[in-house]
Amino acid sequence: MYRYDSYDQKIVDERVAQFRDQTRRYLAGELTDDEFRPLRLQNGLYIQRHAPMLRVAVPYGLLSSTQVRTLAHIARTHDKGYAHITTRQNVQFNWPELKVVPEILAELAKVEMHAIQTSGACIRNITSDPFAGVAGDEYIDPRPWCEVLRQWSTFHPEFAFLPRKFKIAVNGATQDRAVIQCHDIGLELKRDAAGEIGFRVLVGGGMGRTPIIGAEITDFVPWQHIITYCEAILRVYNRYGRRDNLYKARIKILVKALGIAEFKRQVEEEWAFGKGGPNTLTEAEVARVATHFTTPAYETQPADDAAYASQRAANPAFAAWARRNVLAHKVPGYAVVVLSLKDPSRAPGDITDAQLDLVAEWADAYSFGEVRATHEQNLVLADVKQSDLFAVWEKARAAGLATPTFGLLTDMICCPGGDFCALANAKSIPIANAIQARFDDLDYLYDIGELELNISGCMNSCGHHHVGHIGILGVDKNGSEWYQVSLGGSQGNDTSIGKVIGRSFAAAEMPDVITNIIDVYRAQRLEGERFIETVRRIGLDPFKIGVYGDAAIIERKQHA
Amino acid sequence: MPKLIKNGSVIDDAAQILVLDETQAPEALSLPEGQVFVPLAVWQAHKGVLSDNKAVGVWLESHESVDDLAEDLDSLSAVALNFPKFTDGRAYSGAALLRTRYGFKGEIRAIGDVLRDQFFFMQRCGFDVIQPKTGKYSDAQLEEALASLKDFSTPYQAAVDQPEPLFRRARRAA
C-alpha cells in the first residue's frame, strides 16, 4: 500500500498543527461557531447528539495493521471502546471530546493517517473497489490512480469551498464494486483500441434527496489528462453550481439543469485551457505511486488446497462461512476473506478495540499486514492462503467476526442514524437489529439468497437506501419516526434507483413488512432467480399487495 | 487607517469599496477621493472615463464573472473579488482565472467575509491583497494571522502561486 514520503508526512503534520491552533482559537472564543463549523467539518468533525464525531480518512479503504492498531488504541483511549466503518470506507469515532481531537490527529499522523476532507463542501475521500489488486475480473488496478487523485485533491485551494460535498470513486474491473454510477465523478478505468490506459468518466450521479444515476461525459480520457479533466469539471461546478439552496447544490442538479451535452461543452471548453498544462500526469509520477501497489510475495500454492477441502467437508459451519465469506482470488491457492461486522448483537459496521487489535494480528499473520474497509461496512483480509482459512475462521468466529452472511439480507448497509447522528430523522440501528433478529435462521437466509438491504436514517442517504434491493428510509412525521420502504434499487453495473412502495411504517412493523416482501419473492421467484431479478420481472404490485393487502391497492388505484 | 495584508505583510490601506444602495443608479457617478473599487455595473457604465484613472479598481460580487472584465483588464490596475460569505468559494476560481487565463498582473484583492483560515487558499489562487473582514481582527491579531499564510509549506497540486505540481517540482523517492 502507499507509504508516505517526507512530503506526505509534512502535509499531515502541518495539518495537525493547523487544526490544533484552530481548535484553540475556537475554545478561546476567537472563532465563532459559524466560522469554526466548516473548518472542523473539513477535518471530519461533527457535533453530534452525544459528543463530536470524528471521521478518519481511510483512502480507498486500505489500512495497514499498524494503522488498525492505532484505531484500536484511539477507540480504547478516547472513545467508548469501538469504532464504526462508514459507507465511504472511512472510520468514525462517536465519542471523542473536542479538546482531545488535536491529540487524536497527532496520533493518527504518526501512522500516516488523518481526517482531512472527510466532510464539508470539498472533495471527499476517494473510494474504490475493496478487492482491488486481488479480484479475478480486474483489468487495471485502481489504487495508484486513487492515490494520485488523493494527492491532487488534498487541500486543493480552488475547491475547498464548493457549493456542496464532492465524491469521486474509481473502478477498474468488469464488475463495478465502487458504486461509480452514484458519484459526483465516477471513473471507470479502461484501455482504448491502442491499449493505452484511460478513463470513462461519469458525472452527476449521487444519492441524497434527489437520487440520480451519473451520465457519461466522455467515454475516454487518456490517463495523462485525468487531473486536468477533473479540474475542468470542478471549476465549472464551483463557478456555476447552485449556492442558493442546500438541497440543489450538488453537481447532479447543475448537470440536470444544463443537460449533459451542454455541461460537457462547458467542461471541454474549460479543459481546452488546462489540457497539456503542468497538471498533466507524468509516467514517472504514476510509476512512483504504482510501486507502492506491487504484488505481495505470494507463495506457490495448489489451486485447491486439499486440507481446505476436507475441512469444509468435515465442518458444516466452516463450509457455510467459506461459501459466503470467502471469495475467489486471482492467485491460485489464495482467497479473499470478508470479516463480517454484521453480528446481530452490534450495530452494523461497528467494531470494538479488542476486535481491531485481533484483525491487525490476523493481517500480520495471514494477509501481508493489510486490511481493507468496504463501503458495505465490513473488513477484508485480501490475501489469505487457502491452507490458513480454517485457522482464520476459528479465530474470527471466536471474536464474533465470522457471521456467515456476506451478501445476504442481514449483511445490511446501515448508517448510524438517530442514535448518534444529529441529522437523522429516525433511528436506523434498532431497525437493522430487529430485522437481523427476525432473519436469524441461516438456512432460511441462504434460501432467500443474495439480497442487499440498505437503511438510511434520513434523506442524506448515508445508508445507500436508494440502491438497496430493499431500501429503508427513516422519515419524520409530526415528530415521530416512520420508515419508508423502496424496492428495486441496485448498485454495480446495473445500478438502479429503488421505488417507494407506499405509505411508511412504524418501527415495530418493519420485521413483518420485510417478511411479507420476502414471502412474495419466495412464492413468485423462478428457479435460480435472485430477489432483484424477481422484482424487475414482476414489478412492485405483487409486493404492494403482499405488504398492504389487496384492499389498500385497489382503493389507491380508484383514487388515482 | 484600516490594515490589510499585501504580499505577506500588514500594511495600512485607505481604499474604499463603493457599494451602491437601492436608490443609487450605476449611471449616476460620484467617486470618493483616493483609491476606490467600484461595482461592475458602475465600471461598465463609465469605463470610458474611469479607465484613465489608476486609482479606480473594480469589485465583483461572487456571482459576477471575471470573463466580463476580460476586455478591460489592460486598463485596470486592481480587481477585488467579494466573498459574501467565506463559504462561497467562487472567487477562488475567479482569481485563478484572472491570473492564468487572462494573465492579469495587477492587484487582486479579497474582500468581504475574509478570515484568516482561508488566507492560505486565497494566496494560492492568486490573491496578492487580502483585506480581512472589517473589525474582525485587532492589529495584533492580524500580525498573528500572517502565520496562516504559511499553513502548508509544500502543497501537492499546482496553483497560481506554484504553477507546477509537487510531482514536477520535487524528485520524490519511491
Side-chain angles (χ1 to χ4, degrees):
Chain A
M1 63 186 282
Y2 188 75
R3 302 305 309 264
Y4 285 5
D5 67 4
S6 59
Y7 295 102
D8 302 300
Q9 189 64 50
K10 190 159 198 189
I11 284 171
V12 169
D13 290 344
E14 287 173 337
R15 168 54 146 200
V16 175
Q18 181 195 40
F19 193 73
R20 194 187 296 279
D21 187 56
Q22 288 170 343
T23 305
R24 178 192 65 74
R25 283 186 276 125
Y26 171 68
L27 292 173
E30 291 173 36
L31 276 168
T32 66
D33 283 335
D34 284 346
E35 289 165 359
F36 187 53
R37 185 180 306 113
L39 305 181
R40 63 172 165 76
L41 286 176
Q42 300 220 354
N43 206 44
L45 192 61
Y46 290 75
I47 302 297
Q48 291 293 25
R49 288 185 193 268
H50 307 290
M53 177 204 80
L54 179 66
R55 185 181 293 152
V56 176
V58 182
Y60 37 96
L62 288 192
L63 289 159
S64 69
S65 56
T66 308
Q67 291 173 331
V68 174
R69 286 193 182 90
T70 292
L71 295 174
H73 167 75
I74 291 168
R76 193 160 42 240
T77 315
H78 302 296
D79 203 289
K80 295 193 172 180
Y82 63 96
H84 176 78
I85 307 297
T86 80
T87 53
R88 287 206 74 66
Q89 301 177 287
N90 288 324
V91 173
Q92 274 170 205
F93 294 102
N94 282 308
W95 304 90
E97 275 185 81
L98 175 60
K99 63 178 195 298
V100 305
V101 168
E103 278 321 302
I104 297 175
L105 294 180
E107 288 177 41
L108 289 169
K110 284 184 203 157
V111 293
E112 306 180 4
M113 293 188 89
H114 59 75
I116 296 164
Q117 289 167 217
T118 52
S119 182
C122 52
I123 302 172
R124 300 289 190 87
N125 183 38
I126 289 160
T127 51
S128 190
D129 180 358
F131 307 135
V134 297
D137 69 336
E138 179 177 287
Y139 39 89
I140 300 166
D141 188 342
R143 293 171 299 174
W145 304 100
C146 290
E147 178 58 28
V148 163
L149 290 167
R150 181 191 77 80
Q151 298 193 16
W152 159 72
S153 61
T154 298
F155 300 127
H156 198 300
E158 193 178 331
F159 307 129
F161 293 96
L162 296 168
R164 198 82 169 81
K165 59 188 169 185
F166 201 91
K167 299 177 175 177
I168 301 176
V170 188
N171 199 68
T174 309
Q175 290 298 314
D176 168 27
R177 284 177 290 265
V179 208
I180 60 169
Q181 296 187 49
C182 289
H183 276 78
D184 297 284
I185 291 180
L187 298 176
E188 181 189 326
L189 278 154
K190 61 188 285 194
R191 289 181 193 274
D192 67 6
E196 285 294 314
I197 292 177
F199 298 84
R200 173 174 174 249
V201 181
L202 308 179
V203 69
M207 299 194 211
R209 191 166 295 257
T210 315
I212 294 179
I213 291 173
E216 181 182 290
I217 181 166
T218 176
D219 68 348
F220 194 79
V221 176
W223 63 268
Q224 296 91 332
H225 304 299
I226 191 60
I227 289 180
T228 56
Y229 199 87
C230 287
E231 283 208 328
I233 293 174
L234 263 301
R235 183 173 277 174
V236 170
Y237 172 53
N238 190 40
R239 296 184 79 192
Y240 303 114
R242 284 182 64 173
R243 291 175 186 265
D244 60 324
N245 181 341
L246 196 64
Y247 300 130
K248 304 212 179 283
R250 295 287 291 271
I251 194 174
K252 61 194 171 189
I253 304 295
L254 177 65
V255 174
K256 202 96 183 145
L258 294 175
I260 185 64
E262 171 59 16
F263 182 75
K264 179 185 169 86
R265 190 195 64 73
Q266 293 190 16
V267 167
E268 304 228 328
E269 187 176 295
E270 180 62 44
W271 188 42
F273 292 97
K275 188 181 180 186
N279 278 318
T280 306
L281 275 169
T282 60
E283 261 179 53
E285 172 64 358
V286 175
R288 179 188 76 83
V289 174
T291 53
H292 291 275
F293 301 98
T294 46
T295 308
Y298 293 120
E299 296 167 29
T300 306
Q301 296 281 312
D304 291 298
D305 184 78
Y308 174 46
S310 57
Q311 285 154 346
R312 276 179 296 167
N315 190 323
F318 175 59
W321 178 79
R323 196 163 58 241
R324 286 309 325 167
N325 292 35
V326 175
L327 310 175
H329 194 289
K330 67 177 184 185
V331 175
Y334 280 81
V336 178
V337 169
V338 177
L339 295 171
S340 171
L341 303 186
K342 306 299 168 61
D343 183 312
S345 67
R346 299 201 62 85
D350 274 10
I351 183 164
T352 67
D353 60 325
Q355 288 174 324
L356 283 163
D357 275 333
L358 288 170
V359 169
E361 190 182 306
W362 308 334
D364 283 338
Y366 303 113
S367 199
F368 299 102
E370 280 187 27
V371 180
R372 291 136 186 251
T374 78
H375 81 268
E376 287 142 334
Q377 302 175 289
N378 291 309
L379 293 179
V380 168
L381 297 175
D383 294 294
V384 180
K385 276 189 279 191
Q386 285 181 5
S387 54
D388 287 333
L389 285 169
F390 192 76
V392 170
W393 172 71
E394 284 192 307
K395 291 177 181 184
R397 193 166 72 141
L401 294 170
T403 309
T405 58
F406 175 67
L408 301 179
L409 187 152
T410 53
D411 181 25
M412 48 190 78
I413 297 179
C414 179
C415 73
D419 291 297
F420 294 97
C421 178
L423 302 173
N425 289 323
K427 295 185 189 70
S428 48
I429 295 167
I431 303 300
N433 288 152
I435 294 168
Q436 285 170 329
R438 170 68 60 90
F439 291 88
D440 64 344
D441 184 286
L442 282 177
D443 290 330
Y444 183 39
L445 273 180
Y446 294 153
D447 177 67
I448 296 165
E450 279 179 33
L451 195 153
E452 291 167 10
L453 191 156
N454 298 350
I455 307 177
S456 300
C458 76
M459 260 308 184
N460 288 305
S461 315
C462 296
H464 293 191
H465 67 279
H466 293 300
V467 296
H469 300 166
I470 300 174
I472 298 175
L473 168 66
V475 292
D476 173 277
K477 276 204 290 194
N478 305 320
S480 59
E481 299 181 357
W482 292 80
Y483 297 89
Q484 202 175 65
V485 175
S486 56
L487 293 178
S490 175
Q491 59 175 345
N493 291 14
D494 53 353
T495 293
S496 55
I497 306 293
K499 291 197 176 69
V500 177
I501 59 169
R503 70 158 181 89
S504 50
F505 304 98
E509 296 178 272
M510 286 309 294
D512 285 341
V513 169
I514 303 303
T515 300
N516 291 341
I517 290 169
I518 296 303
D519 286 347
V520 172
Y521 161 64
R522 294 176 79 218
Q524 299 263 0
R525 65 181 166 186
L526 304 176
E527 181 72 29
E529 192 176 52
R530 294 184 309 143
F531 178 84
I532 182 66
E533 292 158 353
T534 305
V535 173
R536 285 179 174 155
R537 180 173 56 80
I538 68 177
L540 296 194
D541 279 351
F543 293 96
K544 290 180 184 174
I545 292 167
V547 171
Y548 299 107
D550 290 316
I553 299 297
I554 291 161
E555 190 188 343
R556 190 174 309 226
K557 290 215 161 135
Q558 282 168 345
H559 278 95
Chain B
M1 197 180 290
K3 292 190 186 298
L4 50 66
I5 296 170
K6 181 164 188 170
N7 292 325
S9 308
V10 176
I11 59 160
D12 292 320
D13 178 85
Q16 298 188 52
I17 311 292
L18 181 66
V19 180
L20 298 185
D21 66 34
E22 286 160 10
T23 65
Q24 294 168 298
E27 291 72 23
L29 178 68
S30 81
L31 286 184
E33 289 293 304
Q35 202 195 352
V36 61
F37 288 87
V38 301
L40 179 63
V42 170
W43 170 259
Q44 287 173 333
H46 298 284
K47 63 181 164 188
V49 185
L50 296 177
S51 54
D52 291 332
N53 186 345
K54 288 294 167 205
V56 174
V58 179
W59 72 270
L60 300 186
E61 197 38 277
S62 64
H63 66 269
E64 292 171 334
S65 172
V66 295
D67 304 334
D68 293 338
L69 279 182
E71 305 293 315
D72 306 335
L73 290 171
D74 285 344
S75 42
L76 278 169
S77 57
V79 174
L81 302 178
N82 188 43
F83 289 83
K85 289 182 296 190
F86 74 94
T87 49
D88 181 340
R90 283 175 281 196
Y92 294 107
S93 288
L97 282 166
L98 282 173
R99 292 286 187 228
T100 58
R101 179 90 23 103
Y102 299 115
F104 183 60
K105 300 281 195 290
E107 170 184 316
I108 304 180
R109 177 182 294 225
I111 61 170
D113 195 17
V114 172
L115 306 171
R116 66 173 281 185
D117 293 291
Q118 285 76 52
F119 289 179
F120 178 77
F121 293 139
M122 289 171 179
Q123 167 184 267
R124 291 220 70 205
C125 287
F127 288 99
D128 56 334
V129 173
I130 294 171
Q131 180 172 331
K133 182 181 181 177
T134 309
K136 177 67 188 172
Y137 301 113
S138 68
D139 289 359
Q141 282 175 326
L142 191 57
E143 289 289 346
E144 209 179 291
L146 289 177
S148 289
L149 290 169
K150 301 191 167 103
D151 273 346
F152 298 95
S153 50
T154 316
Y156 283 122
Q157 59 293 101
V160 172
D161 67 334
Q162 184 59 268
E164 301 235 296
L166 182 59
F167 65 81
R168 288 179 189 273
R169 275 180 268 139
R171 183 174 291 270
R172 302 185 69 182

